[in-house]
Amino acid sequence: MKRTIAISLVKRLRAEKGWSQDELAIASGLSTRTVQRIESDGACSPGSLKSLASALEIETHSLEEVPRTHWIGVRWGYAGIFFGTAAATVAILENWLSEGGSNFEAGVGFGVVGMIAGLSAAFIGWATNRV
């Protein structure tokens, strides 16, 4: 599975160390041609990503163009919106079907808790995307 890395970050970190592509290849244990290809198209294998990150003294996820943590936040946000909306819908339907009977307060509470959970998870997703 190929990963896309931030080419400009790799070049900048390499330049900060004063390394040529050959020197980065030696430090990372990759071939010079692999380093050249990675810096030109940004695609690399998970093993090459780990080798580069180790040589450049940076976390692997920091080298990725769209870090996996971004997708985790997006998933939390969508899941929160879905479950919050589902909880509020169930509460509203339950109240509607029981015609506002004795479960009215419980239904409203369930709906409010569901909406708060959904909004909280959506905020987590939004905040993660901002990082």
Side-chain angles (χ1 to χ4, degrees):
M1 180 173 134
K2 293 283 185 181
R3 302 269 175 86
T4 304
I5 64 165
I7 298 170
S8 59
L9 178 61
V10 171
K11 289 179 179 180
R12 182 176 57 84
L13 292 172
R14 179 174 57 80
E16 286 176 4
K17 291 187 175 288
W19 290 349
S20 66
Q21 288 180 334
D22 291 329
E23 291 168 320
L24 177 57
I26 292 167
S28 64
L30 301 171
S31 69
T32 302
R33 178 66 192 122
T34 299
V35 171
Q36 291 169 345
R37 183 181 41 76
I38 290 171
E39 285 192 2
S40 68
D41 67 12
C44 70
S45 68
S48 296
L49 176 64
K50 288 179 185 177
S51 297
L52 279 178
S54 178
L56 295 170
E57 299 173 347
I58 190 170
E59 296 290 326
T60 54
H61 66 85
S62 299
L63 282 179
E64 292 180 288
E65 186 68 40
V66 177
R68 286 184 297 163
T69 54
H70 165 83
W71 296 115
I72 292 169
V74 169
R75 288 181 187 143
W76 271 104
Y78 285 134
I81 291 170
F82 173 77
F83 287 115
T85 303
T89 302
V90 167
I92 291 167
L93 286 175
E94 192 277 329
N95 282 327
W96 181 62
L97 293 174
S98 68
E99 298 178 7
S102 62
N103 294 327
F104 180 74
E105 292 84 11
V108 170
F110 186 58
V112 168
V113 167
M115 288 184 354
I116 290 171
L119 290 172
S120 297
F123 177 76
I124 290 169
W126 173 81
T128 303
N129 290 338
R130 306 280 300 169
V131 174

